[in-house]
Amino acid sequence: MIEIPSRLEGKQFSLHQLEQTLKPLGYEIGGGWEYDHGYFDYKIADHLGYQFLRVPFQAVDGQLDSHGTTVELGRPFLLAHKYQRGIDDFADVGNLTASFDQFAEPQDPDATVPEPLISVGKALVQELERRLLD
């Protein structure tokens, strides 16, 4: 994980407004959201896993599934997940679980971000700052 300091940190926005601005740029709300916090993810690459820019946010009022929720942005960071090749030796597959657990566990959920992608991540953060703050 590589943090990228940003002018976005601590800024508050309507969650709806953020979604309307960021989704057309390729961002999506990551699957790990809770009712009080979540992440906007931008997939940068998918070489032997995937590398992405993640922008965390925290609910300031209400819950994320409520209309009109305001969120505060945290420090963006780059994250890489490296997936193992072949079969997951620890997979527990039954009729019910097979429909949910279709993919292998990450070999390294906090893999090294390739050097060229760090500058890409910094440029993406600068673009977000321009879109949201200027």
Side-chain angles (χ1 to χ4, degrees):
M1 177 179 84
I2 297 174
E3 292 184 338
I4 302 176
S6 170
R7 296 184 295 141
L8 294 170
E9 295 174 52
K11 301 293 187 212
Q12 295 182 3
F13 300 90
S14 153
L15 180 57
H16 179 73
Q17 174 194 355
L18 279 177
E19 287 183 285
Q20 296 299 308
T21 303
L22 299 183
K23 285 185 176 184
L25 300 175
Y27 289 83
E28 58 183 48
I29 293 181
W33 70 275
E34 297 290 334
Y35 289 100
D36 64 341
H37 70 278
Y39 305 94
F40 278 101
D41 290 341
Y42 182 90
K43 187 175 184 180
I44 297 172
D46 59 2
H47 180 69
L48 298 176
Y50 59 90
Q51 299 79 34
F52 56 93
L53 174 67
R54 178 165 272 185
V55 182
F57 58 88
Q58 180 82 30
V60 175
D61 60 1
Q63 295 182 337
L64 298 183
D65 63 343
S66 301
H67 181 70
T69 300
T70 301
V71 296
E72 181 174 303
L73 297 181
R75 178 171 286 186
F77 58 94
L78 294 169
L79 192 62
H81 286 207
K82 182 178 179 184
Y83 284 98
Q84 60 186 333
R85 295 177 184 257
I87 299 172
D88 186 350
D89 294 332
F90 300 103
D92 181 22
V93 179
N95 289 337
L96 181 59
T97 60
S99 62
F100 297 105
D101 301 326
Q102 300 175 30
F103 305 102
E105 288 295 315
Q107 176 181 333
D108 186 355
D110 194 16
T112 302
V113 176
E115 192 67 34
L117 298 184
I118 296 172
S119 59
V120 171
K122 289 178 179 178
L124 287 168
V125 169
Q126 289 174 348
E127 175 65 20
L128 283 178
E129 290 172 346
R130 282 191 295 275
R131 296 270 184 157
L132 297 173
L133 301 177
D134 296 339

